[in-house]
Amino acid sequence: MKRSFLHRGIALLWSALMSAGSVAAQQSNRPSPRADTFGRDGHLYIGADYYPEHWPRERWETDIRLMREAGFNVVRLAEFSWGFIEPSEGVYRFDWLDQALALLDRNGIKAILGTPTASMPAWVARKYPEVLAVQSNGQRYTWGSRKDYSLSSGTYRLLSQQITRAMAEHFAATPNVIGWQTDNEFAGPQDFSETSRIDFQDWLRRNYGTLETLNRSWGTHFWGHLIGDWAEVTIPDCVGEGMWGVSGNPSACLDWRRFNSWINARFQADQVAILRAANPDWVITHNLMGLNPTIDYYELARDLDLVSWDNYPALDRSGQPYAASMAADLMRGLKRKNFWIMEQTAGAMGWATFTDTPLPGELRNICYQQLAHGADAQIWFRWRTATAGREQYWHGLLGHDGRPLRRYREAAQVTREYRSLEPYLKGTTVKADVAIVYDYESIWSLASQPGYAGNDYTSAVSRYYNALFRAGISVDLISPEADLTQYQLVLAPDLVVLPDARARRLIAFVERGGVLMTDIRTGVKDENNLAHERTLPGLLSDVLGITIEEYGALEGRSYPVVSKELFGDTLTATHYVDWVTPTKADAVAAYGRWPLESFAAVTRNQAGRGIAWYVGTVFEEDAFYDRLIDRLLNDARVERWVHLPEGVEASVRQGAGRKLAFLINHNQAEKSVTIPSGKRELLTGEVLGDRVRLGPFGVAVIEW
Ligand code: GAL
């Protein structure tokens, strides 16, 4: 009893001190306006993730010579090297890293260093066992893996600050260190310890102020779960599947995820403040994980100069590579600027079993897809395949044998080509007329309460994203708080959490002349994950010109949907239906079977100077989404500039008076695309006729 009181007191004190520190840290953490994604010398950063500490010193010269010969000008180093740098507490060894950096510098190669906190040395866990997180089953992690830390542990935060400061001060004047990656791939939630619970309680107290507000916001009258003391708050049960799913309060679950996202940002802010103080010229970034749903990346990116991400597209080639495109568009959307690739597939991938090896031209294809979407740096993971440890089968550009073979040669080819494109690329980015609202709070709300079975937010967004991809239209994935004025068309699917202020922004967008599309489950919940007390679609009813009095999950059944205007044929409604009654809107598609014949499946409404569409079900056929996107683009007056064969992707980078069209063939067979004749392809220098031929995995970069 006494112990837990003491424990709580210390934890609270820590938390208060640390939060005060974080506020100060956050003020000095503002990203530097100088941070350009393009190298200051006009060169793109191209290179590999390199682990000199894994190889004998005699090998380094060979590695670095090979990198130079491939045209590389950057490496990422040291993000898992805490054990080497601080072999015991307070004892630092920098000689090996100094030597590696000096050798890289002599070869014209710059470095991004990682703060090495994602993998703690053995002595840390032994000396301070409380820094290890507790898993959801109540068991503390045993040391021996990575990402096993408790971000609520004051001890771990202090140790992280100490190693960050020691490295920052040591390398502050090292000429070829250009910047930092914080930690490695932040994720969560991962800590179910008592410390984490206290940190959560404290976060709630700061956010809600009074218990009365907390109780109201969480709707704790349900099941009589009134909270009479902050210390009564537990970590809610939020992970589960099936009809009953989880038993925790959904409002508490949403806050638990918000809190877990925030503690990662807080941990990062500690490090960023130290790095900025040591050398304000450094570029600070983090390697995000694309569509990973666990962290609010808008929040995490706020302190960074630029966003980087780790791109490992599936090599099973079972479909179009939509996800890597969508992730890139989100990564660009986080700061509304170009981004870096910090890790990218360099060979077969896997820890226990592995994938196929990339086929000839596939590594190059993966690079161009990202370049086309705004990647201004290309770093392959990893330089050479590890001969020890968990990742022996996660292949690098070089194999276990360390010889520069096919994958190395392909990376060198990409580098040569990129260098020739640099003068054209500089100052360009993707400028989209179309945006998709991408909302972490809706992701998290649906994670503990999907509503209808199989309602996964990212898949819901993908239905529309993929159709835009097939139409060759550029899209920004943006925060629900982002300014919409630059867009002609905004899609806001599955936006289950819709606070009134956000609904009003969507309405204003339409009234000013925008075209909006939204769909099922949008606007069901408020910011606390409590159901709005309004007939659906709530505040959006007027702008959409519809009302929804009933809805239901189809649980494997389907309805035919008919629409002469939209697709002629009969299509299939699956998973879920809203019984949509148009009040002002036109019913563009309707159900073809009792008892839904009088309800609309798709509606379109003119409101103010704009148009608002609603899709009330999940269509089985991609063809529906293709037709819908055609109509939306038409309403929004966004022109289709190209017609693509299946599996060919298009993207445009523009700026500085230039427009570059990328065509990327994801098929293993030749494809050709019709274009206006007389345009120049930049990789070959050839002036093209009215068709461009793309070999298997081939690409073309055309001055448009
Ligand atoms: C990434 C991670 C790397 C490496 C790679 C392959 O997610 O950042 O450190 O582990 O996966 O497993």
Side-chain angles (χ1 to χ4, degrees), residues 80 146 184-185 287 310 312 343 351 381 391 394:
F80 295 116
R146 61 175 181 179
N184 192 77
E185 295 188 339
N287 56 337
D310 296 348
Y312 294 107
E343 297 182 13
W351 279 14
F381 184 88
E391 296 188 4
W394 203 285

Side-chain angles (χ1 to χ4, degrees), residues 138-383:
Q139 272 195 343
R140 205 173 274 284
Y141 282 96
T142 45
W143 181 84
S145 185
R146 61 175 181 179
K147 306 296 290 182
D148 45 9
Y149 48 49
S150 160
L151 293 180
S152 292
S153 157
T155 309
Y156 200 72
R157 287 180 64 196
L158 249 191
L159 290 165
S160 139
Q161 291 169 20
Q162 279 167 12
I163 182 69
T164 302
R165 189 170 295 109
M167 289 180 77
E169 286 171 359
H170 183 85
F171 295 109
T174 306
N176 59 332
V177 172
I178 57 163
W180 291 78
Q181 168 191 301
T182 56
D183 201 86
N184 192 77
E185 295 188 339
F186 283 121
Q190 57 203 22
D191 183 19
F192 298 80
S193 67
E194 177 65 5
T195 324
S196 170
R197 184 166 78 98
I198 293 169
D199 205 8
F200 180 43
Q201 291 164 352
D202 205 45
W203 179 87
L204 291 169
R205 191 198 339 248
R206 281 199 304 282
N207 280 288
Y208 288 104
T210 66
L211 284 168
E212 194 197 339
T213 316
L214 177 79
N215 280 301
R216 199 177 49 248
S217 307
W218 279 12
T220 55
H221 51 270
F222 188 76
W223 282 347
H225 280 171
L226 305 168
I227 300 206
D229 188 311
W230 296 102
E232 287 168 10
V233 172
T234 53
I235 293 176
D237 166 23
C238 304
V239 190
E241 285 180 357
M243 186 150 187
W244 304 109
V246 299
S247 66
N249 177 334
S251 303
C253 286
L254 179 56
D255 271 341
W256 168 242
R257 287 177 195 267
R258 283 184 179 128
F259 161 75
N260 276 282
S261 181
W262 173 79
I263 54 171
N264 281 277
R266 176 182 65 177
F267 185 75
Q268 173 173 266
D270 294 345
Q271 298 189 349
V272 172
I274 293 167
L275 297 170
R276 288 211 193 290
N279 183 342
D281 275 344
W282 278 334
V283 170
I284 300 179
T285 187
H286 175 73
N287 56 337
L288 284 71
M289 290 187 279
L291 300 176
N292 181 288
T294 57
I295 303 236
D296 176 346
Y297 277 159
Y298 302 110
E299 182 183 22
L300 193 75
R302 215 161 285 147
D303 282 343
L304 302 174
D305 293 313
L306 53 91
V307 164
S308 305
W309 82 285
D310 296 348
N311 179 33
Y312 294 107
L315 298 183
D316 63 358
R317 309 170 193 105
S318 57
Q320 312 227 53
Y322 298 119
S325 265
M326 182 163 143
D329 291 339
L330 175 63
M331 297 296 100
R332 196 184 62 250
L334 297 178
K335 293 189 86 70
R336 312 289 271 299
K337 72 183 209 183
N338 288 353
F339 55 89
W340 287 1
I341 296 293
M342 191 59 89
E343 297 182 13
Q344 186 160 278
T345 309
M349 297 169 287
W351 279 14
T353 60
F354 49 80
T355 64
D356 195 2
T357 190
L359 301 180
E362 196 168 12
L363 289 182
R364 176 172 178 264
N365 168 288
I366 292 169
C367 291
Y368 275 94
Q369 182 181 37
Q370 294 302 313
L371 183 71
H373 285 261
D376 278 349
Q378 166 55 44
I379 301 180
W380 281 278
F381 184 88
R382 47 194 287 149
W383 170 245

